[in-house]
Amino acid sequence: MRCRQCGHDNAAGANYCSSCGSPLPSTGRGGASGDGDREIDTTVSLALIEDREALAAELGDVLDDLPEDLGMLVVRRGPNAGSTFVLEAPETTVGRHPDSDIFLDDVTVSRRHAVVTRRERGYSVADVGSLNGTYVDHERVEQAELSDMQELQIGRFVLTFVVGASETGA
């Protein structure tokens, strides 16, 4: 069960998020098996839609112009807040080294901190031996697949990963 506040995946049946302590939605245990899970999934999906709409309002046409299945990182917190980085290359390096594809100038970021890899079926991020670690939805990771609207933290920088959506759903 995913927390609506921080996105952490919790054990089924948990009442509070083990990462941030927020109350989790009721699982509706009184109904048929699995019915409560659908209700929770719907609630999480609606929260993600609301988050994406808020981000779209902040960015204006930038998010609308992002081609389908192309990823982008949006700096939400940190010295570069509001900056966007489209992830077109097969590999995008992130770090404090001036040669990094995404240059994050802060001492909390290692020179060579992380690599975002574009694959046929999506994107992943891998920590490349940083001192302070790479976090996806508040969990330290060595490597993780990225999904739309996930939060990536590198040093003091918090970035939101977004994927271009098809226009058929609009």
Side-chain angles (χ1 to χ4, degrees):
M1 168 178 335
R2 189 171 282 246
C3 175
R4 290 185 293 190
Q5 293 296 321
C6 71
H8 177 75
D9 275 328
N10 292 280
N15 292 321
Y16 297 93
C17 177
S18 62
S19 178
C20 71
S22 294
L24 297 171
S26 169
T27 58
R29 295 189 217 300
S33 177
D35 288 346
D37 291 339
R38 268 185 260 138
E39 183 178 317
I40 291 166
D41 288 345
T42 302
T43 302
V44 170
S45 296
L46 289 174
L48 289 175
I49 290 168
E50 289 171 1
D51 290 347
R52 188 170 175 99
E53 288 173 353
L55 184 61
E58 281 179 38
L59 297 176
D61 293 337
V62 174
L63 193 55
D64 292 338
D65 294 342
L66 188 64
E68 183 176 357
D69 296 328
L70 188 62
M72 181 171 64
L73 288 172
V74 181
V75 180
R76 304 303 296 275
R77 286 197 316 249
N80 300 24
S83 298
T84 59
F85 301 95
V86 178
L87 305 169
E88 295 177 290
E91 284 192 348
T92 303
T93 58
V94 182
R96 189 168 34 97
H97 193 280
D99 292 341
S100 297
D101 298 316
I102 299 176
F103 176 59
L104 301 177
D105 191 16
D106 189 80
V107 295
T108 60
V109 177
S110 294
R111 285 180 191 83
R112 309 225 186 266
H113 200 105
V115 173
V116 178
T117 304
R118 182 180 185 191
R119 299 193 173 122
E120 195 172 305
R121 66 191 187 306
Y123 288 82
S124 66
V125 63
D127 187 275
V128 291
S130 70
L131 180 64
N132 292 323
T134 300
Y135 295 79
V136 174
D137 287 340
H138 307 282
E139 286 190 35
R140 190 171 183 157
V141 298
E142 292 301 315
Q143 181 179 357
E145 298 296 317
L146 292 173
S147 301
D148 191 45
M149 295 304 296
Q150 278 192 304
E151 188 176 273
L152 178 65
Q153 183 170 351
I154 296 175
R156 292 191 316 179
F157 292 84
V158 176
L159 306 104
T160 298
F161 174 76
V162 293
V163 179
S166 69
E167 305 218 5
T168 58

